[in-house]
Amino acid sequence: MRTQVAIIGSGPAGLLLGQLLHKAGIDAVIVERRSRDHVLSRIRAGVLESGTVGLLDAIGASARLHEEGLRHDGVELLFGGRRHRIDLSRLTGGRHVTVYGQTQMTRDLMDHRAASGGVTVYEADDVEPRDFDGGKPFVSYRKGGVAHRLDCDFIAGCDGFHGVSRASAPENAIKTFERVYPFGWLGILADVPPVSHELIYAGEARGFALCSMRSATRSRYYVQCGLDERIEDWSDARFWDELRARLDPASAEALVTGPSIEKSIAPLRSFVCEPMRFGRLFLAGDAAHIVPPTGAKGLNLAAGDVHYLSQALIEHFREGSDAGLDAYSARALARVWKAERFSWHLTSLMHHFPENSPFEQRMQRAELDYLVSSDHAMAALAENYVGLPY
Ligand code: APR
Ligand code: PHB
């Protein structure tokens, strides 16, 4: 089989890239390790920057997003027993975010790809990017025990943090940067109305908590937990009690609880690999970088990478110019590092670090007190939260 661009991974990055290329008349084949249903079974974050929405608009896959997505013009920070609203819209000249589950977005992209005749090979085994340092790259894989070769002009490694693409880069050509945080997030999904119409980021002494949602009837909550915590030790009742203990009295009172649909613990890390290009192999999304979910940047960074990469590939095939491809890594990394900074900063600000001295704990509180007292400081948070420009 032959295609112009072989995409490894059918998550948000791979699907968005495939459909942006399709819109430009460029052929792409996605090779995915898991089944369609497995990919859709993953519960991920749900805050979209306007740039991400714009890309979905551009490919014509945003109808349900505009129908069901929730426009949010503000977020709240809770500390010292009080909630403080950050007016995103006022502080950014009218910009906002849209709350819409990543699972829904992935489903919309899969449906759009199927309707447009895009080829996705699911349940492919032993997927490998090959000969990308030369002029004739290809992807090898096995399907149903039969070996396949997908010849292409370029390979997009959209296969996430644990994928094969970054692992295939020459060791002497790649540099990685990482911070693993001394805690994780215990998350619950439940069909109960959200405690508030906007997100609440809580940073009390007991630990971080986040009140989010998927719709007016489905809520997503998180509490910071130790890395040694096991999900089987967390009954729904224990989770709800801990969440209440990390909220202000009024919110704790208003909280509607119910049986969990999903409950899981995820570790937090900051990670970047440089560069994001190795010959004819280009990395995009979690394959190249990871952010702690505090800033809701993971999905949106994947969209930004794919915006740059799709533009560069279109320029190559349409105009025969490789300027965009040559600039891709530096251009993407410039935006990645700013989002890494924001996500690390908000994580450092809102979480309880067991190793922090009393002085450092006071510094955290002083940062928060200053933040909510200064329009300038809040504007800086707001412009990062709604998304820096591409
Ligand atoms: N071969 C083929 N596919 C693979 C391989 C492999 N060796 N390894 C992983 N994959 C697939 C995974 O099964 C997954 O469907 O690649 C896809 C990667 O998708 P994501 O991990 O979702 O990464 P990305 O598309 O970059 O999206 C980033 O999704 O995971 C969230 O928090 C993340 O919000 C961020 C966004
Ligand atoms: C979510 O709804 O899952 C979510 C929202 C905001 C975040 C992280 C996760 O910062």
Side-chain angles (χ1 to χ4, degrees):
M1 185 165 39
R2 187 180 212 293
T3 186
Q4 291 172 289
V5 181
I7 299 172
I8 302 179
S10 174
L15 286 164
L16 197 47
L17 178 61
Q19 294 319 97
L20 285 166
L21 293 175
H22 170 79
K23 178 174 179 286
I26 295 167
D27 187 64
V29 171
I30 298 179
V31 183
E32 162 62 48
R33 171 167 70 176
R34 301 289 192 170
S35 70
R36 181 181 186 278
D37 288 346
H38 180 95
V39 174
L40 286 172
S41 68
R42 297 182 188 126
I43 303 292
R44 293 286 166 74
V47 174
L48 306 186
E49 297 173 358
S50 54
T52 304
V53 174
L55 292 176
L56 290 161
D57 287 340
I59 60 177
S62 60
R64 199 170 72 158
L65 162 61
H66 289 298
E67 199 178 298
E68 298 178 9
L70 304 172
R71 173 181 171 138
H72 281 212
D73 291 298
V75 292
E76 289 190 303
L77 302 185
L78 162 58
F79 61 92
R82 282 189 56 213
R83 287 161 51 172
H84 305 264
R85 186 167 187 267
I86 310 284
D87 189 336
L88 300 173
S89 184
R90 176 178 68 82
L91 293 160
T92 62
R95 297 184 61 203
H96 62 277
V97 292
T98 303
V99 171
Y100 188 65
Q102 179 176 311
T103 307
Q104 286 93 318
M105 177 180 145
T106 304
R107 185 188 302 279
D108 295 344
L109 285 167
M110 284 178 172
D111 293 347
H112 189 270
R113 183 164 182 78
S116 65
V119 174
T120 301
V121 178
Y122 287 104
E123 297 180 278
D125 298 320
D126 307 324
V127 180
E128 273 200 70
R130 310 283 295 277
D131 291 2
F132 48 83
D133 48 0
K136 295 186 178 303
F138 65 96
V139 172
S140 63
Y141 65 92
R142 300 179 66 80
K143 172 83 173 166
V146 176
H148 293 267
R149 172 183 172 125
L150 175 61
D151 288 296
C152 54
D153 296 312
F154 298 99
I155 302 172
C158 301
D159 46 350
F161 184 67
H162 301 289
V164 66
S165 297
R166 189 179 73 249
S168 301
E171 269 191 39
N172 61 359
I174 191 169
K175 185 170 178 57
T176 61
F177 305 81
E178 184 171 43
R179 172 165 190 193
V180 177
Y181 295 88
F183 41 74
W185 279 16
L186 164 57
I188 200 168
L189 191 67
D191 278 334
V192 293
V195 70
S196 175
H197 68 291
E198 293 177 330
L199 273 60
I200 303 172
Y201 290 79
E204 299 287 26
R206 282 182 76 97
F208 173 83
L210 172 59
C211 302
S212 184
M213 65 200 73
R214 292 290 174 271
S215 70
T217 58
R218 177 165 287 191
S219 297
R220 180 72 166 156
Y221 292 108
Y222 301 92
V223 294
Q224 173 187 345
C225 65
L227 288 174
D228 56 351
E229 290 286 352
R230 299 181 312 150
I231 198 68
E232 50 267 30
D233 296 334
W234 283 85
S235 66
D236 288 1
R238 183 184 175 195
F239 179 90
W240 295 123
D241 288 345
E242 187 57 38
L243 177 61
R244 279 196 197 91
R246 299 187 186 190
L247 297 177
D248 58 291
S251 303
E253 180 65 31
L255 183 68
V256 177
T257 64
S260 60
I261 301 171
E262 190 269 350
K263 197 162 44 179
S264 55
I265 294 176
L268 270 64
R269 80 174 73 235
S270 298
F271 175 88
V272 180
C273 91
E274 292 183 353
M276 290 172 56
R277 175 200 186 169
F278 305 92
R280 288 181 172 253
L281 169 65
F282 293 81
L283 304 183
D286 276 15
H289 42 72
I290 294 288
V291 282
T294 324
K297 290 301 165 199
L299 175 56
N300 294 296
L301 269 184
D305 293 346
V306 159
H307 167 69
Y308 296 139
L309 184 54
S310 60
Q311 280 189 330
L313 288 165
I314 292 166
E315 181 190 57
H316 167 86
F317 287 111
R318 275 193 185 152
E319 300 161 29
S321 163
D322 283 354
L325 291 173
D326 294 340
Y328 167 71
S329 181
R331 196 178 177 204
L333 284 167
R335 192 167 187 273
V336 163
W337 277 113
K338 293 187 183 77
E340 290 282 349
R341 180 208 69 82
F342 173 67
S343 305
W344 161 81
H345 177 63
L346 198 54
T347 301
S348 306
L349 202 52
M350 301 300 297
H351 287 74
H352 173 68
F353 287 76
E355 75 278 13
N356 269 7
S357 66
F359 175 80
E360 286 160 325
Q361 289 169 24
R362 281 288 186 278
M363 282 299 98
Q364 258 187 326
R365 179 57 190 269
E367 275 282 348
L368 286 167
D369 283 335
Y370 167 66
L371 171 60
V372 298
S373 71
S374 160
D375 255 18
H376 299 290
M378 286 190 285
L381 182 148
E383 71 172 353
N384 282 277
Y385 195 87
V386 300
L388 298 179
Y390 287 155

